[in-house]
């Protein structure tokens, strides 16, 4: 009997047909009320899921599971200790949206430099501001907190605008796309040099509320803060205080601690904040592209080698 592969993520016939041509005969059960009973009966070795699918219970009741593939990038809700204990390998879709997320980050930088938000406000008031300027990006400093696949793509595109680029990652190994690389220990120093700060770093216990009053206090007064990571890396009240007190210039936020963002949240009406609805990584034909990543990781798993998108269970990303 071959490897039993089950998906609780709904997949259409086009996708399952594509998987079959790639040698993967997958059974799609979705998330009905009797999902757990179905999984117990099937006892899959490989499960396609999301990190919020009560994975701790699933792996307890399905000891057959040896590989999990989550169709999302974020894995912060995964029961890492239990996966380690049971020897279960995990892969995600890291990098799937790197191109469009880097486009989003650059659009925020360009929007700020061109003072587009101010001009839109002036248009609504039919106000012609004489001698409105556009800021040059040449020679400015961009700090990318999270120099992984998305961060590297941002750096590659930012080079075309003459920006000096600093990256923060887990280790300070050199990368040609960055003028300088450091770790989280260097963050206070780097913030003082940076005109634009883009956050792509994963949410882990070490990065929960990373950006709070202390780090906002290290930023330049004309700094622009852009978050496309997770809302949990940010203390939202401290950001509002930093903006209100003129500690930083403005913020572009695509992710939030609570989503959808509550209608009475202060972010909606703040004059120095642009809110977007977690759209930076929302890729068209996402599931088709996610399954292409799954195919590569599945075959690596079957061959017993490191999966291209294998998550380090010890580090949590």
């Amino acid at each position: 009997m071959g490897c039993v592969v089950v998906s609780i993520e709904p997949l259409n016939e086009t996708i399952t047909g594509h998987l079959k041509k790639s040698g993967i005969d997958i059974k799609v059960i979705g998330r009905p009320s009797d999902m757990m009973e179905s999984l117990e009966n099937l006892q899959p070795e490989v499960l396609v899921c999301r990190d919020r699918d009560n994975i701790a219970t699933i792996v307890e009741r399905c000891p057959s599971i040896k590989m999990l593939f989550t169709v999302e990038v974020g894995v912060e809700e995964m029961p890492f200790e239990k996966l380690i204990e049971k020897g279960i390998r995990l892969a995600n879709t890291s990098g799937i949206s790197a191109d469009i997320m880097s486009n989003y980050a650059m659009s925020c930088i360009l929007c700020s430099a061109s003072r587009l938000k101010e001009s839109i406000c002036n248009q609504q008031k039919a106000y012609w501001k004489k001698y409105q300027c556009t800021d040059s990006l040449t020679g400015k400093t961009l700090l990318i907190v999270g120099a992984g696949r998305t961060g590297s793509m941002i750096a590659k595109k930012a080079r075309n605008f003459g920006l000096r680029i600093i990256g923060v990652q887990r280790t300070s190994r050199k990368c040609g796309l960055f003028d300088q690389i450091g770790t989280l220990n260097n963050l206070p120093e780097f913030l003082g040099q940076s005109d634009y700060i883009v956050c792509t770093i994963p949410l882990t216990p070490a990065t929960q509320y990373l950006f709070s009053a202390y780090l906002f206090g290290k930023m330049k007064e004309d700094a622009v803060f852009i978050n496309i990571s997770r809302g949990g890396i940010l203390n939202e009240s401290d950001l509002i205080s930093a903006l209100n007190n003129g500690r930083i210039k403005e913020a572009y936020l695509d992710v939030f601690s609570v989503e959808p963002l509550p209608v009475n949240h202060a972010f909606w009406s703040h004059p120095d904040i642009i809110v977007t609805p977690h759209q930076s990584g929302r890729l068209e034909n996402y599931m088709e592209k996610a399954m292409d990543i799954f195919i590569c990781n599945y075959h690596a798993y079957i061959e017993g080698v490191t999966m291209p998108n294998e998550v380090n269970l010890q580090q949590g990303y």
Side-chain angles (χ1 to χ4, degrees), residues 187-189 191 210-219 238 247:
L187 195 49
E189 170 197 351
L191 287 170
L210 174 66
F211 283 90
S212 56
Y214 171 72
L215 287 184
F216 287 125
K218 297 295 181 181
M219 295 181 188
D238 286 357
R247 282 300 314 143

Side-chain angles (χ1 to χ4, degrees), residues 244-265:
N244 290 345
N245 296 329
R247 282 300 314 143
I248 65 173
K249 179 182 176 183
E250 57 190 357
Y252 292 76
L253 307 176
D254 187 53
V255 288
F256 308 91
S257 294
V258 176
E259 295 183 1
L261 188 66
V263 294
N264 60 347
H265 199 289

Side-chain angles (χ1 to χ4, degrees), residues 71-248:
V71 298
E72 300 174 301
V73 176
V75 293
E76 57 265 20
E77 295 184 42
M78 282 289 178
F80 291 107
E81 290 185 7
K82 191 171 290 292
L83 299 186
I84 293 169
E85 172 193 329
K86 293 181 175 296
I88 297 172
R89 297 169 69 185
L90 171 66
N92 66 356
T93 57
S94 176
I96 189 171
S97 300
D99 184 51
I100 60 170
M101 291 181 75
S102 62
N103 289 345
Y104 177 96
M106 288 308 304
S107 73
C108 293
I109 293 170
L110 292 168
C111 179
S112 177
S114 62
R115 308 189 190 188
L116 188 59
K117 179 166 62 69
E118 181 183 353
S119 292
I120 290 172
C121 290
N122 289 340
Q123 179 181 350
Q124 292 170 344
K125 297 180 289 187
Y127 170 61
W128 182 281
K129 183 178 179 180
K130 288 185 177 182
Y131 313 119
Q132 174 69 299
C133 294
T134 294
D135 301 327
S136 172
L137 294 179
T138 303
K140 297 287 179 65
T141 298
L142 166 62
L143 172 62
I144 302 172
V145 185
R149 297 181 188 182
T150 299
S152 294
M153 186 70 76
I154 296 169
K156 183 177 180 181
K157 293 177 181 179
R159 282 224 164 271
N160 295 319
F161 294 90
L163 285 153
R164 173 176 175 259
I165 306 165
I166 303 176
V168 168
Q169 57 186 11
R170 186 169 54 86
T171 63
S172 56
R173 66 182 187 278
K174 291 184 178 180
C175 174
L177 293 169
F178 297 85
D179 296 293
Q180 189 173 358
I181 281 281
T183 67
L184 286 175
N185 293 332
N186 304 112
L187 195 49
E189 170 197 351
F190 289 165
L191 287 170
Q193 306 172 33
S194 303
D195 302 286
Y196 302 94
I197 300 106
V198 177
C199 300
T200 69
I201 196 167
L203 177 61
T204 68
T207 60
Q208 181 87 28
Y209 303 126
L210 174 66
F211 283 90
S212 56
Y214 171 72
L215 287 184
F216 287 125
K218 297 295 181 181
M219 295 181 188
K220 298 167 69 171
E221 291 186 358
D222 58 353
V224 176
F225 180 79
I226 302 163
N227 188 14
I228 56 175
S229 168
R230 284 289 187 265
I233 70 161
L234 168 67
N235 183 309
E236 295 179 346
S237 296
D238 286 357
L239 172 60
I240 290 173
S241 295
L243 289 165
N244 290 345
N245 296 329
R247 282 300 314 143
I248 65 173

